[in-house]
Amino acid sequence: MNCTRMRQVLDAWIDGELDAATSTEIDRHLAECPACLALKGERGALRRELRANAPRFEAPPALRAAILARIEQTTLPAPAPARHRQWLQTAAFASIAAAVGLVAGLWIERPLPDDSLREHLVASHVASLTDPQRLITVVSTNQHVVKPWLQGKIDFAPVVRDLSADGYTLLGARLDHVGDRQTVAIVYRKRNHVINLFAWRAADYTAEALALQSARGFGMATWADSGLRYAAISDIERTDLEQFARLMQP
Ligand SMILES: [Zn+2]
């Protein structure tokens, strides 16, 4: 934990959103860094001030009841218990899939060092698809607009390429958090499919070769370059995702 990282995660930590390991790192850093401790004090004071003096509005009972009713309606039914035969079929399909993966070479299931990171990336991809406002904060098909917009907000510079000649349209970008990591998602479109290209700092990854895998049915391509890790996630054809990832390589 250093001061830059501390500033990125402080608010999430104050809101109790971080895991225990990161919280321990934060406690340790605060014990030895007066600057960050002071910042924490300021945020705490602001929080108390807002709680005490900012106007609050209670939802009327009718609105509350209507929202609860809607939630009730949209609750998914519990999945039917899997039967033995279904399990066998699934196992058979899995072996076929594994064999195909071996033949394809690149598609061998190769988990990221951090499995929960992969989960977070998929969750963020899915969330971005369900909410168009969340998908893109800066809307632009021009990498000379997207890159400077990012530079004002993060302390790293991910690759933003114009791949329109290859059929990948740049839609824009947004800031995102994956776990406690500050990430950027650069958003592309191929036909009707969205590609979220996540990038984040990982000082211990100077370079990592392209790896392809699947996660919850989505294709995921990962690589690292110059201390940045990248993960491209989409439901496009695997060959397209691989092509996209290769085009993004240095
Ligand atoms: Zn500090």
Side-chain angles (χ1 to χ4, degrees):
M1 182 69 57
N2 56 34
C3 296
T4 309
R5 177 77 175 276
M6 183 75 201
R7 259 146 241 228
Q8 289 169 352
V9 299
L10 182 62
D11 287 321
W13 178 67
I14 288 174
D15 292 336
E17 291 169 356
L18 298 187
D19 58 282
T22 312
S23 301
T24 310
E25 275 185 58
I26 289 171
D27 284 332
R28 215 173 286 154
H29 183 80
L30 287 175
E32 59 193 27
C33 178
C36 286
L37 188 63
L39 187 66
K40 181 206 157 198
E42 282 171 29
R43 293 289 165 90
L46 176 64
R47 188 184 159 96
R48 282 189 295 278
E49 179 72 13
L50 284 173
R51 290 225 159 146
N53 297 320
R56 291 173 84 99
F57 303 97
E58 293 256 325
L63 176 61
R64 186 186 153 82
I67 290 171
L68 287 176
R70 276 290 276 282
I71 292 171
E72 200 103 309
Q73 275 171 20
T74 53
T75 304
L76 292 171
R83 279 182 313 217
H84 187 61
R85 221 175 74 200
Q86 285 174 331
W87 184 87
L88 278 179
Q89 281 172 349
T90 309
F93 280 127
S95 346
I96 294 166
V100 170
L102 280 168
V103 173
L106 278 165
W107 283 93
I108 298 166
E109 186 73 13
R110 200 178 114 182
L112 287 176
D114 182 354
D115 246 16
S116 74
L117 172 66
R118 189 171 59 166
E119 272 298 304
H120 279 299
L121 287 167
V122 172
S124 181
H125 175 71
V126 172
S128 76
L129 298 182
T130 50
D131 181 357
Q133 287 200 318
R134 192 187 130 85
L135 180 64
I136 304 167
T137 313
V138 59
V139 182
S140 175
T141 56
N142 185 339
Q143 83 266 37
H144 301 297
V145 173
V146 173
K147 250 190 122 112
W149 181 82
L150 290 173
Q151 273 167 20
K153 290 163 189 70
I154 46 168
D155 58 353
F156 57 93
V159 174
V160 183
R161 292 224 161 98
D162 178 2
L163 303 179
S164 52
D166 297 284
Y168 302 93
T169 312
L170 177 65
L171 298 181
R174 70 175 181 278
L175 301 183
D176 210 320
H177 272 91
V178 171
D180 62 342
R181 292 166 179 81
Q182 169 77 67
T183 60
V184 166
I186 301 148
V187 186
Y188 288 85
R189 182 170 55 78
K190 169 95 175 180
R191 293 183 297 272
N192 290 325
H193 304 272
V194 168
I195 306 169
N196 268 296
L197 173 62
F198 294 92
W200 65 96
R201 266 163 47 135
D204 42 337
Y205 284 88
T206 46
E208 183 188 48
L210 175 63
L212 291 157
Q213 55 187 310
S214 30
R216 277 206 255 159
F218 294 100
M220 186 185 288
T222 55
W223 68 94
D225 178 48
S226 319
L228 295 184
R229 289 198 87 196
Y230 293 90
I233 305 179
S234 182
D235 62 345
I236 53 172
E237 294 287 327
R238 291 174 168 201
T239 47
D240 285 343
L241 186 62
E242 184 183 351
Q243 182 198 31
F244 172 81
R246 295 213 183 278
L247 290 168
M248 293 303 298
Q249 305 278 307

